[in-house]
Amino acid sequence: MEKLTQFRTPAWRRVVALLGLGLALLAAPVQAKAPPTHRHASAPAQEQLLEHGSYTNSDGVEVHSPAHTRSGKAPAGASARCRDGSYSFSQHRRGTCSHHGGVAAWL
């Protein structure tokens, strides 16, 4: 039993260590993530599209949802053709055409 007591930290040192830790946490700056500002991507010509919807992407930018065109041709600003024939205006590859059968071709 005598050998175990030599490894115990005195109570006052534990208190000092906890106080130091508490002060360090209080002094550390708190960084809150700013809410995204809604920006709009360049919108395609609405008269070319059959569907008119939008979503906010991970950057906080409002993007036109995938849509079919009246002519069947790629509208200005399209980034991919989906397997269901719609055109995506996604600004990132991840998730593009995810509810439209996946990407058939990148434009």
Side-chain angles (χ1 to χ4, degrees):
M1 284 305 239
E2 202 58 41
K3 290 184 180 182
L4 291 177
T5 58
Q6 68 183 352
F7 294 109
R8 290 190 63 204
T9 304
W12 67 271
R13 284 194 181 200
R14 287 186 296 221
V15 171
V16 170
L18 287 174
L19 286 173
L21 178 62
L23 288 174
L25 290 174
L26 287 174
V30 176
Q31 296 179 353
K33 188 175 181 181
T37 56
H38 290 283
R39 298 173 300 199
H40 300 276
S42 57
Q46 295 294 317
E47 63 274 0
Q48 294 179 357
L49 305 177
L50 297 176
E51 295 93 14
H52 305 284
S54 65
Y55 65 94
T56 302
N57 72 7
S58 60
D59 294 330
V61 177
E62 191 172 335
V63 179
H64 198 287
S65 296
H68 293 86
T69 59
R70 295 185 192 284
S71 66
K73 295 181 181 178
S79 57
R81 181 172 44 83
C82 303
R83 288 192 178 138
D84 69 354
S86 62
Y87 288 90
S88 172
F89 303 91
S90 177
Q91 296 177 343
H92 304 287
R93 288 184 173 237
R94 185 175 185 167
T96 300
C97 299
S98 61
H99 297 283
H100 298 270
V103 174
W106 293 102
L107 305 177

